[in-house]
Amino acid sequence: MAYKGKFITFEGIDGAGKSTQVKLLQQNLNSKGFDCIVTREPGGSTGSEKLRKILVDKNKYNWSNLSELLLFFAARKDHVEKTILPALNDGKIVICDRFTDSTRVYQSQGKQDLGELIELLQSKVIQLDPDLTFILRINSEISLQRTNSRQDGDWRVSSLSSERLMQVINGFSDLTKQFPNRCFEISTETSLEESAKKILERTMEILE
Ligand code: TMP
């Protein structure tokens, strides 16, 4: 799909520091004169924010894996149509907290048929891939410490078994092998500034 802007996504488990790094990248790019918007999934458009309430509520309904997957894609379609594509067509940089890579990791559950459906929906329905993706990596203990202290009523990784949490962490890392041209893993266990510097350097490579 041809557009003038750039589409950058951040991925990783809850508590990996995505929202902090998203904000730092926005500030750093703004100070260099780039026009960027920050958005998130599920959410980022009126329809998708309505679906977010259904999808991430702590007491969420027990959807089947397939129904949940379709809801994430319905939310994504609205977000792409209403928010992301108009901004990209205007030449803006869109920085998005989570996108289809999160569905690949959380919803495929290692099942081949769901994985195939995700790729089909991504290529035929969403038809938009990021130009650059940062996979933020943190160990499971730090993730749990950080997310347990949040009081926003959202569903969190703390509800996952430790075995499933490790699968999710490794699932995100594997994306760097599946999409080596756009996915870069950044450890956020070191200093905030150091991670932000690496993220900005890599971003400037696709902007210059
Ligand atoms: P957030 O707390 O990072 O905004 O993400 C909300 C939750 O939604 C998070 O636990 C991961 C989950 N999620 C999925 O399971 N599949 C998806 O496709 C997306 C975008 C998020």
Side-chain angles (χ1 to χ4, degrees), residues 1-188:
M1 198 176 287
Y3 49 78
K4 289 190 282 171
K6 291 284 178 211
F7 183 34
I8 302 172
T9 57
F10 280 74
E11 299 283 356
I13 53 170
D14 295 333
K18 286 182 290 91
S19 36
T20 307
Q21 290 298 337
V22 161
K23 272 192 217 124
L24 287 172
L25 181 61
Q26 182 187 31
Q27 283 166 12
N28 286 332
L29 291 177
N30 282 343
S31 68
K32 288 181 178 288
F34 291 100
D35 193 359
C36 358
I37 68 156
V38 163
T39 186
R40 67 168 179 181
E41 289 216 345
S45 64
T46 307
S48 185
E49 287 291 336
K50 284 180 193 289
L51 287 173
R52 180 183 174 93
K53 290 204 174 74
I54 293 172
L55 284 162
V56 307
D57 188 277
K58 201 173 239 162
N59 304 310
K60 67 180 175 179
Y61 175 74
N62 189 17
W63 300 101
S64 71
N65 293 339
L66 181 57
S67 304
E68 189 183 59
L69 190 157
L70 294 172
L71 284 168
F72 274 111
F73 270 102
R76 182 160 302 130
K77 185 66 186 169
D78 191 67
H79 185 209
V80 168
E81 278 177 354
K82 305 281 168 50
T83 306
I84 300 178
L85 271 184
L88 290 176
N89 286 330
D90 272 357
K92 293 187 179 144
I93 299 169
V94 176
I95 307 174
C96 188
D97 187 338
R98 298 196 185 281
F99 197 63
T100 305
D101 291 326
S102 279
T103 315
R104 290 186 169 106
V105 172
Y106 284 105
Q107 273 70 50
S108 84
Q109 329 265 325
K111 293 193 186 115
Q112 201 186 340
D113 52 342
L114 290 182
E116 282 169 7
L117 180 61
I118 291 169
E119 297 314 324
L120 187 73
L121 290 167
Q122 174 60 19
S123 62
K124 300 284 183 217
V125 176
I126 301 301
Q127 298 183 312
L128 173 70
D129 292 303
D131 296 296
L132 181 62
T133 298
F134 293 107
I135 314 278
L136 303 194
R137 187 178 172 104
I138 200 143
N139 70 47
S140 53
E141 289 79 27
I142 303 181
S143 161
L144 288 171
Q145 271 165 25
R146 289 185 184 167
T147 49
N148 283 339
S149 62
R150 291 182 189 163
Q151 302 289 330
D152 56 10
D154 283 356
W155 177 89
R156 291 288 171 209
V157 278
S158 45
S159 351
L160 295 177
S161 67
S162 49
E163 189 192 349
R164 176 78 186 121
L165 183 54
M166 276 321 293
Q167 268 176 8
V168 169
I169 292 175
N170 293 333
F172 277 118
S173 285
D174 287 347
L175 290 166
T176 57
K177 292 177 212 135
Q178 203 180 341
F179 305 105
N181 294 335
R182 69 166 169 89
C183 285
F184 298 94
E185 192 167 51
I186 306 275
S187 165
T188 50

